[in-house]
Amino acid sequence: MKRRHRKRGSGTEIRVNGWSADRKRRPEDPGGMADGFLMEVCVDSVESAVNAERGGAGRIELCAGLMEGGTTPSMGLLQVVKQCVRVPVFVMIRPRGGDFLYSDRELEVMKADIRLAKLHGADGLVFGALTEDGRIDTELCTALLALCRPLPVTFHRAFDMVHDPLVALETLVALGFERVLTSGCDSSALEGLPLIKRLTEQAKGRIVVVPGGGITERNLQRILEGSGAPEFHCSARSARESGMKFRNSSVAMGASLSASEYSIKVADMAKVRTLNAIAKNIL
């Protein structure tokens, strides 16, 4: 049945930071478990993926466009990241920034991206979709989940835009999502902590509620202790100065409010290590 169109509301050795991508992978390395807590780091580059793993991340969420909240990464990026890290790599499936109300053609893009991500070694997939009235789009999610299997799937922070999060959680459980990423429907996981705790209690192990959004070394302990969640999601990024010597300050490649081309955001290995240490010390 046609979906209704909805309006928008080689043998070459690869090295990253001196690290060879040709080393053999261990089977199912569950690293990054901080005495029971699993840390997922969202990244948009090979450098960030390597830094996240070295810092102790147990899983990577691979995206493009983190300034837009994360969009589908290129398959080239996925292919090289998979050569460079051992931890599981979950791939974001989001065809554009903005809302989570998708047209028939955008659905076809998402289906194609899922097939390609699986082909290039994704260990899991991440997506979300809503109806125009703020409910989980069960029709679209059912179609995409079928394509994703047998890989695990996370429903991303589209969840934070739902009309009723308690009802939405039950919908995700019924659909068969393994995880849901949420800031507790608030501006950050700290602000949304009461709802994250309530969702974790309601889930009762049927789905993993993963706090994410504004998590730093200053608030992680409070979020983990207050939510009871077994996993957490962060970016742990710092700005790195561009290596460009010649610079044209009159030209910007994106919108006027976008970040400078000469300041690059990358996952900070020291920050990841700090967050991992905090999680270890909670138990």
Side-chain angles (χ1 to χ4, degrees):
M1 183 176 70
K2 188 177 187 299
R3 288 172 46 78
R4 178 174 59 85
H5 181 92
R6 298 182 176 92
K7 295 181 180 178
R8 281 190 58 190
S10 120
T12 302
E13 182 186 57
I14 299 173
R15 287 185 172 269
V16 179
N17 291 340
W19 190 91
S20 172
D22 286 342
R23 66 177 177 176
K24 293 183 178 178
R25 294 168 55 82
R26 293 194 305 258
E28 293 302 315
D29 179 3
M33 292 296 293
D35 289 338
F37 293 106
L38 187 142
M39 172 172 49
E40 177 181 80
V41 179
C42 57
V43 307
D44 60 0
S45 68
V46 181
E47 179 181 1
S48 288
V50 171
N51 287 350
E53 182 183 53
R54 286 178 169 175
R59 185 171 63 239
I60 286 169
E61 181 190 85
L62 187 65
C63 310
L66 284 177
M67 292 289 288
E68 292 186 284
T71 54
T72 307
S74 76
M75 293 303 104
L77 178 58
L78 171 59
Q79 196 169 19
V80 178
V81 165
K82 285 291 294 181
Q83 292 172 331
C84 290
V85 302
R86 295 173 174 174
V87 296
V89 178
F90 281 25
V91 177
M92 173 69 74
I93 303 296
R94 187 182 177 210
R96 55 164 172 79
D99 65 30
F100 305 101
L101 187 63
Y102 296 117
S103 69
D104 293 335
R105 288 179 175 175
E106 287 172 326
L107 172 59
E108 292 308 310
V109 172
M110 297 169 83
K111 287 180 176 179
D113 284 333
I114 288 170
R115 294 187 188 102
L116 288 169
K118 291 175 71 176
L119 181 65
H120 289 287
D123 298 293
L125 295 150
V126 183
F127 68 81
L130 305 178
T131 62
E132 61 190 10
D133 55 355
R135 290 170 171 80
I136 305 297
D137 189 332
T138 56
E139 181 184 347
L140 188 151
C141 287
T142 298
L144 296 187
L145 280 165
L147 278 179
C148 291
R149 298 309 183 197
L151 300 181
V153 186
T154 300
F155 193 95
H156 60 43
R157 286 189 60 200
F159 184 86
D160 291 325
M161 311 298 280
V162 298
H163 178 263
D164 187 331
L166 302 183
V167 171
L169 185 71
E170 293 303 320
T171 302
L172 297 184
V173 170
L175 286 169
F177 283 89
E178 280 78 14
R179 293 173 178 83
V180 55
L181 175 63
T182 180
S183 64
C185 300
D186 215 319
S187 58
S188 70
L190 184 60
E191 295 297 323
L193 187 55
L195 179 58
I196 295 173
K197 183 177 188 295
R198 187 174 178 184
L199 291 168
T200 301
E201 292 171 346
Q202 179 180 324
K204 295 179 180 177
R206 296 174 297 160
I207 188 171
V208 179
V209 177
V210 184
I215 291 182
T216 69
E217 61 271 20
R218 295 183 296 276
N219 60 31
L220 175 61
Q221 181 171 350
R222 183 175 170 187
I223 290 168
L224 291 181
E225 290 180 340
S227 68
E231 303 184 6
F232 64 98
H233 173 100
C234 60
S235 62
R237 296 197 298 168
S238 293
R240 174 173 62 74
E241 188 70 4
S242 166
M244 288 294 296
K245 294 180 179 179
F246 172 78
R247 303 185 180 195
N248 184 350
S249 59
S250 300
V251 178
M253 293 295 108
S256 58
L257 297 178
S258 64
S260 166
E261 278 74 31
Y262 304 114
S263 179
I264 303 166
K265 292 278 192 177
V266 295
D268 187 318
M269 183 165 49
K271 284 189 176 183
V272 176
R273 282 178 174 162
T274 298
L275 289 165
N276 206 31
I278 291 169
K280 285 181 179 179
N281 288 333
I282 290 176
L283 295 178

